[in-house]
Amino acid sequence: MEQLEMEEHGTIRSSSSSSYHQGGFKMPVDSEHKATQFWLFSIASPHMRSFHLSWFSFFSCFVSTFAAPPLLPIIRDNLNLTSADIANAGIASVSGAVFARLVMGTACDLVGPRLASATLILLTAPAVFCTSLITSPASYLIVRFFTGFSLASFVSTQFWMSSMFSAPKVGVANGISGGWGNLGGGATQLIMPVLYSIIHRAGSTNFTAWRIAFFIPGLVQVLSAIAVLAFGQDMPDGDFSRLKKSGDKPKDNFADVFRHGASNYRGWILALTYGYCFGVELTVDNIIAEYFYDRFDLNLRTAGVIAASFGLANIVSRPGGGWLSDVLAMRFGMRGRLWGLWLVQMIGGLLCVLLGQMDSLTSSVLVMIFFSFFCQAACGLTYGVVPFISRRSLGLVSGMTGGGGNVGAVVSQLLFFRGSKYSKETGISLMGVMILCCTLPIMLIYFPQWGGMLCGPSSKENATEEGYYSSEWSCEEKEKGFHLASLKFAANSMNERGKKGSGSLPTVHVDGLSATV
Amino acid sequence: MAVFASSTLFLLLLLVCSVGTAVGGVHFSTLARTLNVTASPKQGQVLMAGVDKIRVFWGLNQTVKAGTDDAYKKVKVKLCFAPVSQENRGWRKTEDDLKKDKTCQFSLTTQPYTKNPNPSSFEYTLERELPTATYFVRVFVLDGSDTEVAYGQNTDAQKTTNLIQVIGITGRHASLDIAAACFSAFSVVSLIFFFVKEKRKGSKN
């Protein structure tokens, strides 16, 4: 039996061997070999390398998905598009990923994030290349729809980070990878016009130049997926296929993964609330340039710069949310993560209502900048909670939440930004009200072992981390030892009790043996 | 701190850029329609951008009183979108303030105004960058300070007659089509390559 000691912030480390560099890793790891630190400027294999591969490939998908909006002034003339065609294509670009994110989640659970994400990215790249062939509104909608499927690589990014980084760092890892990926939606508003003008100046006519420009994001997308396949690895100990062969990772089946993920009400609540932070972010990405252009009579380039700044805030805002989630968890545990999420998203909703009421350009831009920070930080805070909802069906829950984000974008655009029922400013304020209403259900999330926003943890005997995570496995499966990975995770997640909770020493299972400390 | 500093700088930049939009222009409704304008295409004729030509004729309407054109210095001939091509397209909206008006987006020529009893003309080859749309021709008269003082157009006030239909180029090329096919194939083939590699690695182990 090994002696276990609790560190100040509740990370369990083994003291029998040196706690650093277990198993020959370049970074300090926990018992699941997940990194317990996050070194942004390193490419140490496998943890930090996976981080850089995943955020960059996700970034390239965002650049491709939102490559059309900044070039719309040229594309709409070339294809003779109407406002309705543009709005419909905008909705189509985010609706494909609703379903794709769910499928992606399950795919990650079954074949691993490396194969799942690379497959998706390589199969959607043809849609980006074929954008150069389109000649009608219908074909425009089709390519944007299929290109948008690539946004499902968000799920594989989050799954991959949750597999590589331990509980104290999972929020910041998920936040930075998600944020720097979403950054693509802002960066593309600057990149595509620059590419277009270089090609146009080199001699192509305008209607050819934009077509050539689309090859760049497509090629970057393909190369990043190849890099993922060549240099990436699913888990700290290896790829799914190798681990399955050696018996370290038992083969799971779709039906059980689906059942456990879909029956966990917490996943559904987060799917709804994510629709009102990330979904709102996608909606704003699609409508904000036009809003500033029309309302304040700016030229297209200025409107584009403002539109870009909304997405560019992601460099710090979403990672900031992830970091805040981890900081709150250190002190207050899971309850801190939930309260942080609720507060930040509510403030985001208030700022959204305010944005629609602003009458001057400077006040609008100022409110929009604050709104972008809170809205995107809420996305980071959401994914500080997601890794803990399920261990067996982590991918599916990640996918449900991510898909819910896209549903929110579709619903918001359909309700408030299609047709002339509401002016854009009224639409924005109403969207803010909807954010406030749809954030309230976070109060209903309750973990027996950690508590919820309004109630503390349960005092029942089986209200423990192992109780929660091993309840996802049946008795027969437990007998075969399928649940061992979940138990390791349960032990490592005990710091979600916060400072007060980690004072009492629990019963911990290590390597199938029971050890009372 | 850095957030506030960068957002303040950004706002200053915006203020500087937005000053230009604050000054308004001449209102179209104040302009007198003193020129007669005609264009060569017949009703129903469809023209190809980059290939076909049109000839625009303009001259002072003989019914206006003499001396009206004393201040006229230049004419600017523009190609403008007809209402059917403006429908559902807010970026081509007609506004009375000419600085904000987006009806006439293509300038064909700017020439000095000549007090000639015969109409002046200009031959224009439809440029390749012209989008597929229905157009009419409008000629603005400018005074010495380059401000619009009068106009003429080849269609009626409701912009329903003598409209010019243009079909724009697609911008597509055979080389682009081939490149798209090749890159797409490369994408799928690399995926298959890695799948086969994984299977082989798996069966070796």
Side-chain angles (χ1 to χ4, degrees), chain A residues 76-78 80-83 114 122 125-126 133 135 200 206-208 211 219 229 293 297 302 366 370, chain B residues 4 11 14-15 21 88-89 91-92 100 102 129 131 169-173 177 180 183-184 187 194 198 202:
Chain A
R76 67 191 178 196
D77 276 347
N78 194 183
N80 207 10
L81 302 176
T82 62
S83 297
R114 179 179 154 261
L122 287 172
L133 309 177
T135 51
H200 190 31
N206 55 354
F207 292 164
T208 304
R211 293 170 187 277
L219 194 62
L229 285 172
Y293 178 81
D297 282 315
T302 315
L366 198 60
F370 280 110
Chain B
F4 282 103
L11 289 170
L14 269 175
L15 277 168
T21 62
N88 271 324
R89 295 173 177 87
W91 55 92
R92 295 177 182 169
K100 296 185 185 173
K102 306 208 172 85
E129 306 209 335
I169 59 169
T170 60
R172 283 180 65 178
H173 284 280
D177 295 353
F183 279 100
S184 304
S187 184
F194 276 100
E198 289 282 313

Side-chain angles (χ1 to χ4, degrees), chain A residues 128-451:
Chain A
V128 183
F129 295 123
C130 291
T131 308
S132 66
L133 309 177
I134 61 178
T135 51
S136 68
S139 51
Y140 175 64
L141 187 133
I142 290 172
V143 289
R144 284 211 73 191
F145 175 67
F146 283 110
T147 307
F149 272 74
S150 66
L151 290 186
S153 59
F154 163 74
V155 177
S156 54
T157 301
Q158 303 292 288
F159 183 99
W160 208 355
M161 294 302 98
S162 303
S163 308
M164 285 285 178
F165 291 92
S166 188
K169 290 295 168 190
V170 77
V172 79
N174 276 343
I176 300 185
S177 59
W180 288 10
N182 288 9
L183 190 67
T188 196
Q189 313 259 7
L190 298 172
I191 294 173
M192 295 306 284
V194 166
L195 286 175
Y196 167 78
S197 57
I198 291 174
I199 299 169
H200 190 31
R201 231 168 273 176
S204 299
T205 53
N206 55 354
F207 292 164
T208 304
W210 78 261
R211 293 170 187 277
I212 298 176
F214 264 82
F215 278 88
I216 316 301
L219 194 62
V220 171
Q221 201 176 307
V222 169
L223 293 175
S224 68
I226 292 177
V228 164
L229 285 172
F231 304 117
Q233 179 177 313
D234 290 315
M235 303 185 78
D237 292 325
D239 288 328
F240 267 37
S241 53
R242 200 179 66 76
L243 294 173
K244 272 189 217 167
K245 278 257 163 197
S246 61
D248 285 338
K249 184 168 181 17
K251 191 159 191 263
D252 211 341
N253 69 79
F254 171 72
D256 287 325
V257 165
F258 184 81
R259 196 164 47 89
H260 286 290
S263 59
N264 196 327
Y265 75 93
R266 303 170 191 85
W268 290 102
I269 293 181
L270 283 190
L272 171 67
T273 63
Y274 196 60
Y276 287 90
C277 54
F278 181 65
V280 164
E281 182 186 337
L282 289 181
T283 303
V284 172
D285 273 339
N286 265 335
I287 62 120
I288 198 75
E290 252 191 304
Y291 172 69
F292 277 97
Y293 178 81
D294 290 335
R295 190 146 189 231
F296 301 105
D297 282 315
L298 302 172
N299 63 43
L300 220 69
R301 198 168 300 164
T302 315
V305 168
I306 298 177
S309 67
F310 178 82
L312 289 176
N314 264 302
I315 295 182
V316 291
S317 54
R318 190 176 172 132
W323 170 83
L324 181 65
S325 190
D326 287 340
V327 159
L328 288 169
M330 270 193 342
R331 184 93 213 288
F332 302 109
M334 176 56 68
R335 296 187 75 185
R337 291 191 196 265
L338 291 170
W339 268 100
L341 170 59
W342 183 82
L343 272 169
V344 168
Q345 195 158 317
M346 287 300 259
I347 297 174
L350 288 169
L351 287 167
C352 189
V353 175
L354 199 60
L355 177 61
Q357 309 295 315
M358 293 290 107
D359 278 326
S360 78
L361 176 63
T362 42
S363 58
S364 275
V365 174
L366 198 60
V367 172
M368 187 204 72
I369 289 177
F370 280 110
F371 168 52
S372 71
F373 275 99
F374 280 91
C375 172
Q376 292 158 6
C379 298
L381 281 152
T382 306
Y383 272 83
V385 176
V386 164
F388 298 100
I389 293 188
S390 165
R391 184 64 193 87
R392 184 174 190 177
S393 313
L394 169 66
L396 183 66
V397 171
S398 241
M400 272 164 61
T401 307
N406 282 63
V407 170
V410 171
V411 167
S412 301
Q413 283 177 91
L414 277 175
L415 283 179
F416 306 124
F417 299 105
R418 195 166 179 271
S420 38
K421 188 165 176 203
Y422 302 113
S423 65
K424 279 219 165 61
E425 49 268 30
T426 313
I428 291 175
S429 288
L430 289 175
M431 187 166 69
V433 172
M434 200 152 179
I435 296 175
L436 294 172
C437 296
C438 293
T439 306
L440 293 173
I442 295 177
M443 295 187 166
L444 302 174
I445 297 182
Y446 180 77
F447 290 91
Q449 69 274 30
W450 299 318

